[in-house]
Amino acid sequence: MLHSPVDRVAEATPHAIAKRFRGLSDRSLAWLFVAPSIVLLLAVNIFPLIWTIRLSFTNFRVNRPNAEVEFVGLKNYISILSDKDIWLTMQATAHFLIWTLVLQVLIGFSLAYLINKKFRGNDLWTTIIVLPMMLSPAVVGNFWTFLYQPQIGLFNYAIGFLTGADPSSFSMIGDVALAPWAIVIVDTWMWTPFVMLICLAGLRSIPDSIYEAAECDRASKWRQFWTITIPLVLPFLMLAVLFRGIENFKMFDLVVQLTGGGPGSITELTSINLKREAFEKWRTGYASAYAVILFVTVFGLASIYVKALNKVKER
Amino acid sequence: MTIRHVRSLAAFGAVLAAGVAGTSQASAKDLTLCWAAWDPANALVELSKDFEAKSGVKMKFEFVPWPNFADRMLNELNSGGKLCDLMIGDSQWIGGAAENGQYVKLNDFFDKEGIKMDDFIPATVVGYAEWPKNSPNYWALPAFGDVIGWSYRKDWFARPELQTEFKKKYGRDLAVPKTFAELKDIAEFFQKREIDGKTVYGAGIYTERGSEGITMGAMDVLYSFGFQYENPDKPYELDGFVNSAKAVQGLEFYKQLYDCCTPPGHSDAYMSEDIDAYKSGQVALHMNFAFTWPGINADANVGGDKSGYFPNPAGPDGVAFAQLGGQGISVVSASEKKDDALAYIKWFAQPEVQQKWWQMGGYSALRKVVEDPGFATSQPYAQTFLDSMAIVKDFWAEPAYASLLQATQKRFHDYVVAGQGSAQDALDGLAKDWTQIFDDEGKY
């Protein structure tokens, strides 16, 4: 009599196949099962990475199939790291990254804190708040160019209405001083709901009994917030920062649609600059070195951050 | 396996083989033409129906909007893709496409079919077909002549009260400008003026950052002010030519024009943004490629007698040049349907097809069409097209053109729109960038 599904599968397996696998150890079987995934991973991730690293030491250009490919050593890396313009794109990326993270954490956590309170229409408001993150970044970038339009844009109109300034007297995406903030505002509008949702999950994971115990100890709301809520939500918050940090380090589509990297190069983030080198100037070897530098940077920073996150979780 | 099984298998195989043969025959009888998504492309779809009827070849089209056109199509050419059999590629691609074997050389085909390049406007042959430039090596047939010029609100210029006010202020009639200085006066005159209860602005100019916009716009002014790409006597010697005092003046002028006279938010404008600004009645005049003129002429708001057209005015030394646009049609080397593609070019080169092309809104580059006595008066913009085509210059068409273009975009936008540094800094930097690129190309 067959008792379990495993027994039934074993019974149903043709004898010839069963015989072929009979001598395999558990370890061999495990390898057999994960092998397709490993092969796929090697083909899709590891091979391109190794190939990119190889190309980064050459002068290869994909649009010059007949040109001789020369090994140039560290020339591409030295050239990139000593290029003033690339450091400016790094600065633009850092500005974007830091301010979007600060604003999204502050606003996202505040919204989550409010939404976590029980009130009428709670679910409706949650749905409305998360709508922006469901849109395509390219679409968001495109329609914000209309909102920022000095003559007909709602954003300019609202600022004009609130401050009394002429709406057409400033251009959010055409002014060097305002454009870096224009992209921060749009990214914050779009992705704060994501941070909010993660914080909300954190807030809802805190057992009520902890707050009840604090109430018994006559802890004030302020103290409860700093000694219970914040420490217990912190791992979630840090996770949100990790996700958003990695995403915004690679930010491309939204900013390209909004400003195209301009005015001048003031909002040219590293990924936009990299795309120009790789697919407009076709400097494949140089762009590969650039991509490797960015990869090492984001991987290094993320690794340090994950260690810190693990320490916070262990506390 | 029984005999019956074998028979049915054989029958299935025969049906399958017939199907495959049918499919391959069908696919051999179609051609894909790649071009930008714009009005002339729609006209070409209509025009090509005649080719389909005569040849039995079904035409397919792959049109990509201008801002993404180069990215998409150069990717296709560089990867050896077989999507396009025919490519109406930008004039600056010709060097790279020829040297990297992406286009089929057409000399033998032209000789065999009796297609003579002398029959086409000389500037379009040099600009769209030849590589190296000024050598009889042809990689394309001039397909669409285009050039930057200006359109203006003729109805506003004709208003007596504006005429009077302008004359009082500038001491001359409000008329088509003869120099860029006059053009700036006109643009300043209209800037933030109330016309029919609406605030209007001076001029729509090219300021786009991402692809080629600001370069195409600023170069019009720079050429007319005395900018030169290189030492005419020593190729690739750039210092003192790219960043000459006259070139610096030209770039300063373009920035002044941007600062004084463009509509708010005009910091990333190219063909479509400029035409939108003009058609919506926001600006008194605007620069754009000639392909926009048929659309303006037919427009309900600004068309007919409301608009006029003029070529680039002169710079301080009295000389005027215009940035060449337009494209040639080439056969893609990776295509497996080269014979049909060549048949299309043969059909397209016929004078009667070229005549029809012009009537449908395509700018023919065939001399027989444009030198016809009735051509200049056939459309309100036809004479301006001829005048502009007579003064064209083009950007580098070297294989490294993309790097040269991106460096220019960055330097010009940094200065003109972002206001960083001076015009001298921008052009000194540009000369340095270009020298480095040519050095990498082994030109020194």
Side-chain angles (χ1 to χ4, degrees), chain B residues 76 91 106 194 224 227 267 289-290 312 378 380 390 429:
Chain B
E76 187 63 26
S91 55
L106 298 174
E194 285 283 319
S224 302
F227 165 93
S267 57
F289 282 105
N312 269 344
S378 62

Side-chain angles (χ1 to χ4, degrees), chain A residues 80-102:
Chain A
I80 290 164
L81 293 173
S82 56
D83 188 332
K84 193 175 65 127
D85 289 341
I86 285 185
W87 285 106
L88 289 175
T89 67
M90 295 276 190
Q91 270 180 26
T93 309
H95 178 276
F96 175 71
L97 193 63
I98 291 167
W99 281 107
T100 49
L101 288 178
V102 167

Side-chain angles (χ1 to χ4, degrees), chain B residues 119-130:
Chain B
D119 292 342
F120 291 85
I121 302 171
T124 65
V125 176
V126 177
Y128 311 155
E130 288 179 0

Side-chain angles (χ1 to χ4, degrees), chain B residues 5-331:
Chain B
H5 281 128
V6 172
R7 276 185 188 155
S8 20
L9 198 66
F12 176 72
V15 170
L16 195 69
V20 169
T23 309
S24 67
Q25 197 179 20
S27 64
K29 282 291 172 193
D30 62 46
L31 273 180
T32 303
L33 186 151
C34 298
W35 199 10
W38 58 336
D39 289 349
N42 301 329
L44 190 65
V45 172
E46 286 303 307
L47 185 74
S48 299
K49 285 177 181 167
D50 177 53
F51 173 74
E52 288 181 318
K54 284 179 178 153
S55 66
V57 175
K58 169 94 181 126
M59 289 302 294
K60 292 180 180 173
F61 298 91
E62 185 72 20
F63 298 147
V64 180
W66 270 112
N68 307 106
F69 179 56
D71 273 9
R72 174 75 183 86
M73 291 307 165
L74 290 177
N75 250 327
E76 187 63 26
L77 290 176
N78 291 330
S79 64
K82 297 185 191 309
L83 170 70
C84 311
D85 302 302
L86 288 157
M87 174 76 76
I88 305 189
D90 228 346
S91 55
Q92 292 97 357
W93 304 357
I94 200 92
E99 291 197 8
N100 297 318
Q102 292 159 348
Y103 286 168
V104 173
K105 193 171 182 182
L106 298 174
N107 285 52
D108 292 344
F109 166 71
F110 285 167
D111 290 343
K112 186 179 152 209
E113 300 297 341
I115 298 170
K116 293 186 186 69
M117 285 297 102
D118 289 346
D119 292 342
F120 291 85
I121 302 171
T124 65
V125 176
V126 177
Y128 311 155
E130 288 179 0
W131 187 261
K133 294 292 173 197
N134 300 305
S135 77
N137 295 288
Y138 306 118
W139 305 88
L141 179 96
F144 185 84
D146 206 357
V147 60
I148 291 180
W150 295 79
S151 43
Y152 71 102
R153 289 301 296 268
K154 215 171 166 181
D155 54 340
W156 293 356
F157 276 43
R159 292 190 178 195
E161 71 279 13
L162 294 181
Q163 284 276 359
T164 311
E165 192 183 332
F166 187 86
K167 188 150 193 169
K168 196 174 161 193
K169 192 171 179 186
Y170 296 99
R172 63 173 192 275
D173 289 337
L174 176 57
V176 168
K178 292 185 183 65
T179 64
F180 270 112
E182 289 183 11
L183 184 142
K184 187 162 154 267
D185 288 344
I186 294 170
E188 272 174 334
F189 177 75
F190 279 103
Q191 184 73 359
K192 293 191 178 173
R193 180 168 288 275
E194 285 283 319
I195 291 187
D196 300 333
K198 199 171 141 189
T199 306
V200 305
Y201 301 90
I205 61 173
Y206 290 163
T207 57
E208 185 249 11
R209 169 70 175 92
S211 59
E212 58 174 20
I214 195 163
T215 303
M216 296 292 107
M219 280 301 183
D220 281 276
V221 174
L222 266 74
Y223 295 152
S224 302
F225 273 66
F227 165 93
Q228 285 181 295
Y229 280 105
E230 58 190 335
N231 182 346
D233 301 321
K234 195 175 175 193
Y236 305 112
E237 185 180 293
L238 313 176
D239 203 34
F241 296 87
V242 169
N243 51 353
S244 65
K246 288 178 177 179
V248 169
Q249 262 187 354
L251 194 57
E252 282 170 348
F253 179 88
Y254 200 72
K255 179 169 175 51
Q256 287 163 13
L257 197 57
Y258 169 72
D259 287 339
C260 77
C261 308
T262 53
H266 205 69
S267 57
D268 196 20
Y270 197 21
M271 296 179 260
S272 55
E273 290 79 10
D274 271 14
I275 193 69
D276 286 347
Y278 185 75
K279 282 185 176 175
S280 63
Q282 266 192 74
V283 290
L285 35 92
H286 95 293
M287 66 159 46
N288 223 327
F289 282 105
F291 84 87
T292 58
W293 298 344
I296 290 172
N297 191 41
D299 190 79
N301 289 329
V302 298
D305 289 341
K306 288 182 182 170
S307 286
Y309 311 87
F310 62 91
N312 269 344
D317 295 336
V319 290
F321 292 100
Q323 173 61 46
L324 181 70
Q327 301 88 31
I329 182 166
S330 301
V331 176

Side-chain angles (χ1 to χ4, degrees), chain A residues 193-205:
Chain A
F194 175 77
V195 178
M196 183 200 83
L197 283 181
I198 292 187
C199 290
L200 197 58
L203 287 169
R204 287 185 178 166
S205 72

